[in-house]
Amino acid sequence: MLKTKMVPVVLCGGSGTRLWPRSRASRPKPFIPLVDEEPLFISTLKRCADPEMFGAPVVVTGSAHLEHVEAQLDAAEGTVIVEPMARNTAAAIALAACRLDANDVMLVCPSDHHIADCDAFNSAAARACELAREGWLVAFGITPDAPETGFGYLKQGDEIGDGAWAIERFVEKPDRPRAEAFLAEGGYSWNGGLFAFRAGTFMDELTAHRPQIAQKAREAVSAGHAEGRRFYPEAKAFAEIESESVDYAVMENTGKAAMVPVAMGWSDIGNWQALREARARDEDGNVARGRVELVDCRNVMVDSDGPRVSVIGLEDVIVVVDGDDILVTSAEGSQKVGKLTGACSQ
C-alpha cells in the first residue's frame, strides 16, 4: 500500500469536434461509448478506483458538461469543480490544487483517453506518486510505437532512480522525419498529458513561473462556494486568468520535471483513425459497428447508428452515420474532421 493515496484530478471538457458526428459539443467524447461499451470518462474513473491507491476523485468541468459528469459519476464519492469558463489546463489544475491539502499527491488525468493495460498504468502511477512525494513534478512518458506527428515528445534526461528520469526537454509536435529520428535515437516518449505532483509543489512552481494564474486561482477558490458535491469558483477572479496549458505554464519551466516511461496501450482517441486503431479489428483490419457489410475491404471502419452501410473494395476509409449526418473520410483525412462545417458550427 502506498504511504499516501493519490487524488485523481479528472479534467473533463472538450468541444466535440474531432470525432464529429458521433461526438457533439453537447455530448463530447468522454461521455459516449467509443472503444468499449462504457464511456471513456467512466473508464477513467474505474482505473483510479482502487481504494488502496486512490482517494475520492476531483472532477474539473464546465457547466455544459455538468449533467453528464454527475450522471456518470453517479453515487461514487468525489467532488466536482465547475469552471465558470474554459481557461485551459493550468488553471483547471490550479483550482483542484487550491482545494486540496498541500501534501496531497494529485494524479492529473484527462477524461477522454484510452488505456488498454491498467496494470501498467497502476505501476507507473505508484512510481510517479513516490517521486511526487520527493518534490518532483512527474509526467507519464508514453513509450512510442510509431513516428507520431500529432503528439509532443519528452526527451529523457539523467536517471533519478529506478524507472524514473529527469526530463531534459519538452519537444513540440515534430514533422515525420524528426519523429522517425526520435524513435531511431531512443530516449523519447510521447507526452500523454498525465501528471503527478503534490498540490503544494504545483502551486509553488505555478507561483514562480505564472504568478498571475496562481493568484487568481487562489482568489477564485477563496471566494467560491460549495453546493453539495459541487464547488463553484468565483467567476470574476477566474475570468481574469490567462488561458495556458500546464505544459507551457509549469512543466517546461520548472527544474523539477521528471518522467516515468510506460507502455500501457495508450491513445488519446484524437480522431477517427486513432479510434480505429484502438478498437478490435478483424483479420483484414476492418471494424464494423451497426448494420454493416464489408466486401473486399482492408482497414475500413464503419460505425452506423441505424442505416445499413455496405462498402466494397475500399482501403483506409472511415464511414460514420449519426442520425442525419454522414461522414466519409480517408483515414489520413480524419485529422481534418474538426474543420468541417457540421463540426465547427455546432
Side-chain angles (χ1 to χ4, degrees):
M1 180 176 174
L2 294 172
K3 293 180 181 179
T4 302
K5 291 183 182 181
M6 291 172 281
V7 178
V9 175
V10 181
L11 307 181
C12 208
S15 56
T17 59
R18 293 189 296 171
L19 289 173
W20 181 88
R22 182 72 73 236
S23 174
R24 309 277 183 158
S26 59
R27 195 170 183 236
K29 70 173 181 173
F31 307 113
I32 55 179
L34 289 172
V35 180
D36 301 310
E37 296 304 313
E38 64 185 16
L40 295 168
F41 176 60
I42 290 179
S43 297
T44 301
L45 294 175
K46 286 185 175 179
R47 274 196 300 275
C48 301
D50 182 351
E52 295 292 305
M53 289 185 65
F54 303 102
V58 177
V59 180
V60 186
T61 192
S63 57
H65 302 143
L66 187 56
E67 181 181 351
H68 296 307
V69 166
E70 292 190 328
Q72 295 185 5
L73 195 58
D74 197 27
E77 292 184 11
T79 56
V80 181
I81 298 176
V82 186
E83 292 181 290
M85 65 284 295
R87 284 296 182 266
N88 216 319
T89 53
I93 295 168
L95 289 179
C98 289
R99 292 275 293 161
L100 296 171
D101 184 86
N103 288 316
D104 286 337
V105 175
M106 308 167 64
L107 180 65
V108 177
C109 303
S111 62
D112 56 358
H113 290 185
H114 171 65
I115 295 173
D117 188 343
C118 288
D119 289 338
F121 167 79
N122 284 335
S123 295
R127 185 69 182 101
C129 183
E130 294 171 352
L131 294 166
R133 283 173 49 81
E134 296 170 9
W136 294 96
L137 282 74
V138 187
F140 285 52
I142 311 300
T143 303
D145 56 13
E148 176 62 55
T149 60
F151 306 138
Y153 284 69
L154 308 173
K155 176 67 169 71
Q156 188 173 295
D158 295 332
E159 188 171 8
I160 57 175
D162 184 32
W165 284 261
I167 296 176
E168 181 176 310
R169 62 190 173 99
F170 287 73
V171 184
E172 295 294 327
K173 297 175 183 178
D175 58 21
R176 188 171 182 86
R178 287 192 74 206
E180 291 174 346
F182 292 164
L183 264 66
E185 180 181 340
Y188 286 87
S189 300
W190 293 334
N191 181 3
L194 293 104
F195 304 99
F197 30 67
R198 290 173 57 254
T201 306
F202 176 78
M203 289 305 298
D204 287 346
E205 292 299 298
L206 185 65
T207 300
H209 301 290
R210 295 293 188 271
Q212 189 265 0
I213 297 177
Q215 177 186 344
K216 292 300 178 181
R218 288 190 176 102
E219 289 178 8
V221 169
S222 177
H225 68 280
E227 294 180 11
R229 67 162 58 181
R230 302 177 185 177
F231 179 81
Y232 291 89
E234 197 273 320
K236 183 176 181 298
F238 192 75
E240 295 174 2
I241 289 179
E242 297 173 4
S243 179
E244 197 167 13
S245 74
V246 65
D247 296 278
Y248 286 130
V250 176
M251 297 301 295
E252 295 186 14
N253 297 302
T254 182
K256 301 177 179 180
M259 61 179 287
V260 174
V262 57
M264 56 186 181
W266 172 89
S267 173
D268 72 341
I269 315 295
N271 55 54
W272 282 108
Q273 183 179 9
L275 179 56
R276 184 192 67 179
E277 298 303 312
R279 284 179 172 176
R281 288 163 283 169
D282 66 17
E283 62 273 14
D284 294 314
N286 297 321
V287 181
R289 287 200 174 184
R291 300 169 63 211
V292 176
E293 183 178 9
L294 303 177
V295 177
D296 297 334
C297 291
R298 288 176 52 81
N299 299 322
V300 169
M301 180 169 77
V302 180
D303 190 320
S304 175
D305 68 351
R308 179 189 299 277
V309 178
S310 303
V311 182
I312 302 173
L314 295 184
E315 293 188 18
D316 288 314
V317 167
I318 295 166
V319 180
V320 183
V321 181
D322 188 279
D324 292 335
D325 289 307
I326 300 172
L327 169 71
V328 182
T329 178
S330 65
E332 184 178 355
S334 65
Q335 300 272 8
K336 301 177 181 178
V337 168
K339 299 179 181 179
L340 292 172
T341 301
C344 62
S345 64
Q346 299 179 70

